[in-house]
Amino acid sequence: HEAARRLGAAMVAGGADGAQGHFLLGMADAEGGRIVDAIARIERAVAIEPHGEYRAQLARLYTLVRRDGDAAATLRAAEGALPADALSRDTMGCVYARLGDHEAALPHFVAAVGLAPGNDRFRYNHAATLSFLGRTDEADAALEVIVGRAPDDARAHHLLAGLRRQTPARNHLARLRAVHDRAAPGADRLLTGYALAKELEDVGRAEEALERLVAVNAAHRARLSYDPARDAAIFDAVEAAWPAIARAPAGVAPADIAPVQAPILVIGMPRTGTTLVDRILASHPEVESVGELQALPLAVKAAAGTRTRTVLDADTIAAAAAGGDPAAIGHDYLERAAHHRRHPARRFVDKFPGNFFYAGFAARALPHAAIVCLRRDPMDTVLANFRNLFATGSRYYDYSYDLLDIAAYHARFDRLIAFWRTALPGRILELGYEALVDDQEGTSRRLLAHCGLDWNDRCLDFHAHAGAVSTPSAAQVRRPIYRDSIARWRNHARLLDPARAYLEARGIVID
């Protein structure tokens, strides 16, 4: 990087190839973690000579500092003069994916693989996007190419296992066992362990699957510095902040915006049906899904002005409540969300489950927003969180590797929703996953009515909706509603007994 810096500085000083010099300096800054300096350098390179390669990297850097609108605009400009190299096309695909536009990402991943067919990282990105778009057989074929060349590629094995429900006649169990046994402790062992457990569950070997998960999760939990008190402090801060939020002036007035800008926020514990509800809503001809946005957390963080390293923490919640302007938060949210919308004439669904922390801010800042909270049997929720591998790089999901940690997190979530029920009467529709399974049409009608939408029969055929799904529920929500996941915890009642006792001791009823 220092050699690149020296070369770039010489190019800039010489003046003959200043654009390339600024680009090299910017890339060296980026590799050194100086993202703001890198952006300034590459902006200068683009101004001198707008190469597609420069724009691809500039768009990537914009997403790192949450400038999604600038990233989207830079991608649009790059589409007019596409770069010729595989890395830049893969980079454009990755930026589109970060913005939630997997349809736009796909042709760039196709181009990257075509230009560099031996690059397994590019091929994996292509396969992942195919899976998000429901093109399962194509994703399967792409991943098998990777596994054929790199038999121990843990990411490929993990994605392969999740593409579809495996059967006794069609699975990867023998291969996965061998790969998992060879995997070094750490990320590879975690990924292959989850893949193996998932396929064991699929073929009916539930006890063996959970035993495998217990082992790999315990090993991973031991490497984390997770302290449940950190999450408890955030829950406490949210409740303590409400009086100040409630006293603040109202936020964005419905008269100030078009009706189609009224968001629908789907919140809840992860793995409780939020993606299912998102798909039901997105099947309505007047609604689009924008995926799981960070727009509300980032708007609150900006209002707080805190310099803490995390977006969500107790200090940020307190500062935003004390000094934040709900109208500014609301407008900031809508502006950030706009960069992810592809059908501005429709209502939009933001299904980031963690927005349950921000329900108070949302209620004041976005009085026109509809808020829907998914509820699921507490024990099924604990088990589902334990069985799902969330983003390992995010500290917000560190609770999910231990059954008692999950039970503690769920207990605080349950208390917070009860708090919102009192503080915001009638504002949040609590929708039971089990009720949706038992009475799909009746519950869907309640959902649409709460969101101010007329009934449409297409909502009953949500599984036929062609939109991308980039959550762990991608395969499930492409099937009609099924009952397989209800009361699944009872198959593992003995192992889950400590979690059940913990929840019952805190007044949570277990049926």
Side-chain angles (χ1 to χ4, degrees):
H1 300 147
E2 287 308 312
R5 185 180 298 282
R6 289 193 298 272
L7 180 59
M11 288 178 164
V12 170
D17 200 359
Q20 181 75 352
H22 283 292
F23 179 69
L24 284 174
L25 287 169
M27 293 302 291
D29 282 339
E31 292 298 328
R34 297 180 293 276
I35 305 301
V36 173
D37 293 339
I39 287 173
R41 287 286 192 184
I42 300 181
E43 284 177 337
R44 177 65 176 148
V46 169
I48 297 170
E49 196 169 346
H51 279 315
E53 179 187 13
Y54 303 168
R55 282 173 165 155
Q57 292 297 333
L58 181 58
R60 177 180 70 88
L61 295 176
Y62 280 145
T63 65
L64 297 182
V65 294
R66 311 287 190 169
R67 291 171 60 179
D68 289 354
D70 291 328
T74 302
L75 286 177
R76 287 194 295 271
E79 292 285 1
L82 288 169
D85 65 295
L87 175 61
S88 295
R89 296 300 294 275
D90 178 77
T91 300
M92 290 182 68
C94 289
V95 176
Y96 274 121
R98 288 177 185 173
L99 296 176
D101 194 346
H102 298 288
E103 291 87 352
L106 183 60
H108 294 286
F109 290 136
V110 170
V113 170
L115 290 164
N119 189 307
D120 288 342
R121 182 165 62 86
F122 298 164
R123 193 175 294 272
Y124 176 87
N125 291 339
H126 179 216
T129 297
L130 288 168
S131 75
F132 297 155
L133 295 172
R135 295 165 63 170
T136 303
D137 290 341
E138 294 170 79
D140 190 305
L143 291 166
E144 287 292 353
V145 171
I146 297 174
V147 170
R149 291 196 294 232
D152 292 334
D153 190 307
R155 288 202 311 163
H157 285 294
H158 183 256
L159 184 53
L160 261 172
L163 283 179
R164 55 169 60 88
R165 188 181 181 91
Q166 310 298 321
T167 68
R170 178 177 180 174
N171 60 71
H172 312 96
L173 283 173
R175 185 173 68 182
L176 276 173
R177 287 186 189 280
V179 173
H180 181 62
D181 289 344
R182 292 194 299 267
D188 284 359
R189 192 156 184 83
L190 185 68
L191 284 165
T192 56
Y194 266 85
L196 181 54
K198 192 269 181 188
E199 296 211 5
L200 287 167
E201 178 84 29
D202 284 350
V203 301
R205 295 158 69 173
E207 284 297 327
E208 186 180 352
L210 197 58
E211 288 173 6
R212 183 72 62 170
L213 275 186
V214 167
V216 297
N217 276 348
H220 186 68
R221 176 68 172 84
R223 289 191 295 272
L224 298 175
S225 59
Y226 175 62
D227 181 359
R230 181 193 71 195
D231 286 332
I234 295 173
F235 280 103
D236 290 343
V238 170
E239 293 179 5
W242 171 246
I245 298 170
R247 289 194 301 269
V252 178
D256 294 343
I257 63 169
V260 294
Q261 287 185 275
I264 302 170
L265 305 179
V266 179
I267 64 176
M269 280 283 289
R271 310 299 294 153
T272 57
T274 54
T275 301
L276 172 59
V277 166
D278 174 68
R279 294 286 286 190
I280 291 171
L281 290 167
S283 299
H284 194 286
E286 297 174 11
V287 179
E288 70 166 332
S289 171
V290 294
E292 298 185 3
L293 300 185
Q294 289 292 304
L296 188 53
L298 289 172
V300 171
K301 181 72 173 179
T306 51
R307 307 292 293 178
T308 50
R309 295 174 62 86
T310 52
V311 174
L312 174 61
D313 52 69
D315 289 344
T316 294
I317 294 294
D325 174 7
I329 291 173
H331 283 294
D332 189 3
Y333 169 82
L334 292 172
E335 182 177 350
R336 292 176 188 272
H339 304 311
H340 300 264
R341 299 181 64 184
R342 290 176 289 284
H343 301 286
R346 302 179 188 177
R347 297 275 302 279
F348 70 96
V349 184
D350 174 356
K351 64 143 302 220
F352 175 51
N355 277 337
F356 64 77
F357 284 115
Y358 301 93
F361 287 108
R364 295 297 291 164
L366 299 161
H368 54 303
I371 308 175
V372 181
C373 180
L374 266 293
R375 307 303 306 269
R376 185 180 180 184
D377 177 273
M379 293 302 297
D380 279 335
T381 299
V382 170
L383 179 60
N385 275 251
F386 189 71
R387 293 175 64 245
N388 186 75
L389 183 60
F390 297 102
T392 55
S394 172
R395 301 281 65 84
Y396 296 118
Y397 299 107
D398 283 355
Y399 72 87
S400 66
Y401 301 100
D402 180 87
L403 290 166
L404 279 177
D405 286 344
I406 302 170
Y409 194 95
H410 183 275
R412 286 301 278 114
F413 163 81
D414 186 76
R415 192 176 106 184
L416 180 59
I417 299 306
F419 179 87
W420 292 137
R421 195 180 302 132
T422 300
L424 302 167
R427 186 65 197 277
I428 301 174
L429 172 65
E430 294 183 53
L431 206 64
Y433 172 75
E434 293 80 8
L436 189 54
V437 172
D438 289 338
D439 180 11
Q440 180 186 352
E441 180 173 342
T443 306
S444 296
R445 285 183 180 276
R446 286 180 56 218
L447 169 66
L448 266 60
H450 178 76
C451 298
L453 295 165
D454 292 331
W455 174 251
N456 190 285
D457 286 341
R458 287 175 54 181
C459 295
L460 296 177
D461 296 322
F462 64 89
H463 54 283
H465 181 58
V469 182
S470 57
T471 72
S473 303
Q476 293 97 312
V477 296
R478 290 195 169 94
R479 300 165 53 193
I481 280 183
Y482 56 92
R483 302 187 57 84
D484 304 27
S485 298
I486 292 180
R488 176 178 276 168
W489 73 272
R490 294 190 181 281
N491 298 328
H492 313 285
R494 184 172 57 83
L495 180 65
L496 289 163
D497 192 61
R500 180 189 57 76
Y502 181 95
L503 293 172
E504 288 182 333
R506 283 148 186 84
I508 296 175
V509 177
I510 308 298
D511 292 331

